[in-house]
Amino acid sequence: MIKAKVFVTLKPSVLDPQGKQVMNSLHSIGYDNIEEVRVSKFIEIKLKSDDLERAEDEIHEICEKLLANPNTETYSWNLEHITGE
Amino acid sequence: MIKAKVFVTLKPSVLDPQGKQVMNSLHSIGYDNIEEVRVSKFIEIKLKSDDLERAEDEIHEICEKLLANPNTETYSWNLEHITGE
């Protein structure tokens, strides 16, 4: 079995209203040390096959087709073999 | 400046409807190799101070007070020094 950890993050040029709101909340309760907050998605995907090359291709496709909005987001991932959990 | 990367994930015992829906979508377009999908939050926080100990304390507090729901979620983080970006 393979586990993919996929990060889908807003492009740096894209405004992140959720992150901005978290930052404002933190400032309002006294955390003045906070400079910026960006909220992204972290998606863990378990794949049945142990074929790393297949997993690599599938995760790439899945990011393109479903997980990321190519207009506003970028993505990256890493893969690891796992034993059944 | 310090960047904190914070992961807020549902506890393994907690159902993840969003992850389930992503999995169903993937199955419906032919990705039968997918066993499980879990969707989590990944939050990047920039801190002005270069004091790692202070950052450690603040990020821990912020997770407790704002970012994570202690009933259903767990969190972890790592810190790194960055130069101004």
Side-chain angles (χ1 to χ4, degrees):
Chain A
M1 202 173 272
I2 290 170
K3 185 190 266 189
K5 296 182 177 179
V6 181
F7 299 85
V8 178
T9 59
L10 285 171
K11 290 178 182 175
S13 58
V14 175
L15 205 71
D16 176 12
Q18 194 184 355
K20 190 86 173 69
Q21 192 172 3
V22 171
M23 189 174 74
N24 291 344
S25 299
L26 291 171
H27 286 171
S28 76
I29 57 173
Y31 290 99
D32 300 325
N33 190 24
I34 308 299
E35 172 80 15
E36 190 186 15
V37 179
R38 305 277 290 177
V39 179
S40 306
K41 279 176 286 184
F42 167 55
I43 302 146
E44 290 169 291
I45 301 175
K46 283 188 193 163
L47 301 118
K48 292 173 198 164
S49 158
D50 272 318
D51 182 341
L52 268 181
E53 207 170 323
R54 178 180 172 189
E56 196 74 24
D57 289 345
E58 287 189 341
I59 295 298
H60 189 188
E61 284 175 21
I62 286 169
C63 287
E64 286 285 321
K65 288 186 186 171
L66 193 77
L67 298 180
N69 175 346
N71 298 309
T72 56
E73 295 173 322
T74 59
Y75 53 84
S76 64
W77 69 85
N78 59 64
L79 302 177
E80 58 182 285
H81 283 288
I82 55 168
T83 52
E85 280 171 17
Chain B
M1 202 174 271
I2 290 171
K3 185 191 266 188
K5 295 182 179 181
V6 181
F7 299 86
V8 178
T9 59
L10 285 170
K11 290 179 182 172
S13 59
V14 176
L15 205 70
D16 175 12
Q18 194 184 355
K20 191 86 171 70
Q21 191 172 4
V22 172
M23 190 175 73
N24 291 344
S25 299
L26 292 173
H27 285 171
S28 75
I29 55 172
Y31 290 99
D32 299 325
N33 189 26
I34 307 300
E35 172 80 15
E36 191 186 14
V37 178
R38 307 276 289 178
V39 179
S40 305
K41 277 176 288 185
F42 167 54
I43 302 146
E44 289 168 292
I45 302 175
K46 282 188 195 163
L47 301 119
K48 291 172 199 164
S49 159
D50 272 317
D51 182 341
L52 268 180
E53 207 170 322
R54 176 179 173 190
E56 196 75 23
D57 289 346
E58 287 190 340
I59 294 298
H60 189 188
E61 284 176 21
I62 287 169
C63 287
E64 285 286 322
K65 288 186 186 172
L66 191 78
L67 299 181
N69 175 345
N71 298 309
T72 57
E73 295 172 322
T74 60
Y75 53 85
S76 64
W77 68 85
N78 58 65
L79 302 176
E80 57 183 285
H81 283 289
I82 55 168
T83 52
E85 283 172 13

